[in-house]
Amino acid sequence: MFFNMVGRNSRRDRKENGMFFGSLTAAVVLFYMILSLENQDVMQFLHTMESDAVDRLLGLVSVLYGFSLFLIFFLVYFAGKYQMERRSHEFGLYLMLGMKRSRLFGILMAEDMWNSVLALLAGLPLSVFLSEMISLITSRLVGLGIIGHRSSFSLTAVLWTAAGFFGVKFLAFLILSGKIARQEISVLMEEGQEEKQREEQGRSPVLRFAAGLLLLAAAYGTALSGTAWRDVRTMTVTVIVGTAGTFLLFSGLGKRLEAVMLRKKQKKGLYTFTCRQLQENVFLKHRSMAVSSLLILMALVCFSYGIAMGRAAGREEGHAADFTFTGGEADIRRELAAPELKEMLGGLSEVKAGLLFTEEEPEGTGHRQHTFGMEQLLEAADKLKDSEEKETFKDNLRYFTSPYVISLSGYNEILKMAGKAPIRLSDNETAFYTDADYSDGAYKKVVDEVCRMRPVVTIDGEDHKVTGTLCTENLVADRLITISLGLILPDKVFDRLFAGEEVNVYWNTYVQRELVEEKGLLQAVMQVNSLLKKTDLEYESYLQGIGRQMFYNVASTYVSLYLAAIFLIIGNTVIGVQFLMQQKKCGKRYRMLIMLGSDSGAVCRSLDTQIRWYFALTVLTAVISSIFGIGSLFKGILPTALEGRAGVLFWTALLAAGLLCIVEYVYITIVMRAGRRHILEMVRPAKERI
């Protein structure tokens, strides 16, 4: 009898509140996926490159886990409160028929735990499958391939997922059951009372609505201008202003909604009833609508940013050198002549770069003082139209007093390794150079415009015309040298300037293309890197740079998408459950409509309209805010290497945000079906009486 009742009630709860059960299952999936992050192939690979950074990220997992439990607790409590209120009449009947409160407590506990077990049983296999798929997909996207793939299943993640999930459910159940236990039977037997709307006169709602718009406009302007990222205090003020604007907007939205919807002259069927219901729902639940809108806003921003970063991580940046060595040429060639390395590596090329000292150096440094003039460069830059890139270039020129100089033959060797055509310079010509990390399309366009003006720089009294376009091929595999702005000079001029002086010499090589085609770039570089570690050579590899960049992209993608899923689940579940709770409390109104002659189809259509408007008001506000939020995010924390692709990534982010409309449609459909089912259950007694 006991277990039959528990099973029957559990099935009914899952059927009547499928959205909540689905949200719990999704929470189980998310818990496991974030807890098993360290077992992902990409994270295992990154740990060999950036162990300290990866350890810090994995340390952040526990914080994300705790934060998620905190949010899920309130979701469970809120939805559980709705379920308890919905069944209060049933509980009262049990007690009137002689059931002890302790037995009722046991039944409710068993029902809750059984539903929790089913959510775990449904969520864990799905989470393991998705974790494996994500591991394979991300490995493929970043170039690791499926060679050496290991299962990402983690028993520890399973145990922590189950412990956290049951802990949250149990704590919420104890609080809710305690409230039920303290209520008298007469209170439990009463049907839910409608909440009374506070009548607001005058212009107060209109003023709140206008104030909300003004505060949101101020927050949008601060976010898009980049001012919000100036310091922590400014960012805090921006967030507070935007949040306050959202609450004020929804607080005054009811009256504006009334003015718009009741303005229609032809009001057929249940139009007036629908408007009044919707207006009252907005009046009574404007705080929960504002909270849900903010949660959906954070979900849209996090999801869009995560998708954009994931797209950036999947794009392989161009490079020429796979390994860069420093030291004596003879030692380097001797070590690389080993049979295993010789088969894997291509030719060795030399790059020379030296700093042109223009200030007096202390005696014994081995450097002599040079003169450098760039007046024509500043004049040419001043002729360009105003832009952010122009100001950046002028700032670089102000510090361009002791430039780095690169030998033409060395740079052409880099171009040859990259499969590009060499550049040509006469003895009185020079070309601008900058590392790829310091340039983007707009900046390069500004420098190219300066080059077309053919300005002259003077070195030791000799004129050299700036020609060609901005050169951006990285000189080394990673960061042995970084140059924000430099000059490429013909070898004769370079040797004359640095005659008798020591210059930086870098020896570059690359992995044979056949090996790359067979194993993939990262696998091939890792294989060569394992052999080079056994030598005494001083070197850096392409893995160091790509590992660092990949870590930033992968970390931001994982964390952003995880938070987006949490915020989206909670935001939509809160607003959906909130609407259904309010609908139950208005049950007498729907029964009265049926008694007055309205058919159930018309009532259900009225309900559908209410739900669409209720969700639309919340989601539309979040969508509009997300456009500015995404723009601000890309303006404030986009990595320097991706600034040149900010426009493309921004539109990618907006497209990703648009994809969430599908998720919103699914939630709206679920709430509609649940609402219709509740209406049919509420009106059935009225039909029988008729």
Side-chain angles (χ1 to χ4, degrees), residues 164-194:
F165 183 70
F166 277 113
V168 164
K169 290 277 288 178
F170 183 72
L171 179 60
F173 176 80
L174 286 180
I175 297 174
L176 291 171
S177 61
K179 291 184 177 182
I180 293 293
R182 289 192 297 269
Q183 290 182 350
E184 297 295 332
I185 297 178
S186 59
V187 177
L188 293 174
M189 292 294 294
E190 293 179 359
E191 294 194 35
Q193 298 297 313
E194 298 182 24

Side-chain angles (χ1 to χ4, degrees), residues 45-299:
F45 165 73
L46 290 176
H47 198 273
T48 63
M49 298 290 105
E50 295 286 328
S51 58
D52 292 339
V54 172
D55 288 339
R56 286 195 294 271
L57 173 63
L58 296 178
L60 182 63
V61 167
S62 59
V63 178
L64 291 174
Y65 175 65
F67 178 68
S68 303
L69 289 178
F70 176 77
L71 294 177
I72 294 298
F73 168 77
F74 284 101
L75 173 64
V76 171
Y77 176 81
F78 184 78
K81 180 181 178 183
Y82 158 67
Q83 287 181 307
M84 291 291 189
E85 290 180 356
R86 180 176 54 82
R87 298 179 60 188
S88 62
H89 188 267
E90 175 188 348
F91 300 154
L93 284 177
Y94 288 157
L95 296 176
M96 284 186 64
L97 293 175
M99 181 180 289
K100 295 182 179 180
R101 291 182 182 267
S102 59
R103 183 173 178 81
L104 177 60
F105 175 83
I107 291 175
L108 296 180
M109 171 67 79
E111 291 176 10
D112 191 68
M113 290 299 103
W114 177 240
N115 283 334
S116 300
V117 169
L118 292 180
L120 275 175
L121 293 177
L124 284 176
L126 180 61
S127 61
V128 172
F129 172 76
L130 290 176
S131 182
E132 289 291 326
M133 293 301 297
I134 289 174
S135 180
L136 288 170
I137 292 172
T138 51
S139 297
R140 180 64 177 172
L141 287 176
V142 302
L144 289 175
I146 61 174
I147 299 176
H149 169 70
R150 294 183 300 177
S151 173
S152 61
F153 176 76
S154 171
L155 180 60
T156 303
V158 171
L159 295 177
W160 275 108
T161 297
F165 183 70
F166 277 113
V168 164
K169 290 277 288 178
F170 183 72
L171 179 60
F173 176 80
L174 286 180
I175 297 174
L176 291 171
S177 61
K179 291 184 177 182
I180 293 293
R182 289 192 297 269
Q183 290 182 350
E184 297 295 332
I185 297 178
S186 59
V187 177
L188 293 174
M189 292 294 294
E190 293 179 359
E191 294 194 35
Q193 298 297 313
E194 298 182 24
E195 296 182 55
K196 301 301 180 183
Q197 173 184 324
R198 187 180 63 181
E199 189 68 24
E200 294 188 274
Q201 302 295 337
R203 297 185 176 182
S204 178
V206 177
L207 292 177
R208 289 200 301 271
F209 183 79
L213 289 177
L214 290 175
L215 289 178
L216 283 176
Y220 294 160
T222 306
L224 282 186
S225 65
T227 309
W229 298 95
R230 184 181 301 165
D231 50 48
V232 176
R233 183 171 60 182
T234 308
M235 174 58 71
T236 303
V237 171
T238 303
V239 172
I240 292 175
V241 169
T243 303
T246 303
F247 275 91
L248 287 173
L249 180 73
F250 279 98
S251 177
L253 191 60
K255 281 293 184 183
R256 298 303 306 159
L257 187 65
E258 177 184 15
V260 171
M261 299 190 69
L262 297 182
R263 190 178 301 170
K264 185 176 179 181
K265 295 182 179 179
Q266 295 182 351
K267 304 171 183 177
K268 299 180 180 179
L270 298 178
Y271 181 85
T272 302
F273 171 79
T274 303
C275 294
R276 292 298 184 187
Q277 282 291 108
L278 185 57
Q279 176 200 1
E280 185 172 283
N281 282 331
V282 174
F283 269 133
L284 292 174
K285 304 302 177 186
H286 61 85
R287 292 186 183 88
S288 62
M289 291 178 69
V291 170
S292 296
S293 182
L294 291 172
L295 288 171
I296 295 173
L297 164 63
M298 289 188 285

Side-chain angles (χ1 to χ4, degrees), residues 669-680:
T669 302
I670 293 173
V671 176
M672 283 182 177
R673 289 181 177 177
R676 289 180 178 182
R677 184 169 57 249
H678 292 168
I679 282 181
L680 294 177

Side-chain angles (χ1 to χ4, degrees), residues 595-611:
M595 293 178 65
L596 293 175
S598 295
D599 62 274
S600 58
V603 177
C604 288
R605 287 192 294 272
S606 171
L607 178 73
D608 291 346
T609 303
Q610 295 175 45
I611 294 172

Side-chain angles (χ1 to χ4, degrees), residues 16-37:
E16 294 180 351
N17 203 6
M19 181 174 63
F20 176 57
F21 183 78
S23 298
L24 292 180
T25 304
V28 171
V29 174
L30 293 173
F31 285 160
Y32 175 84
M33 292 181 67
I34 194 66
L35 290 171
S36 64
L37 182 60

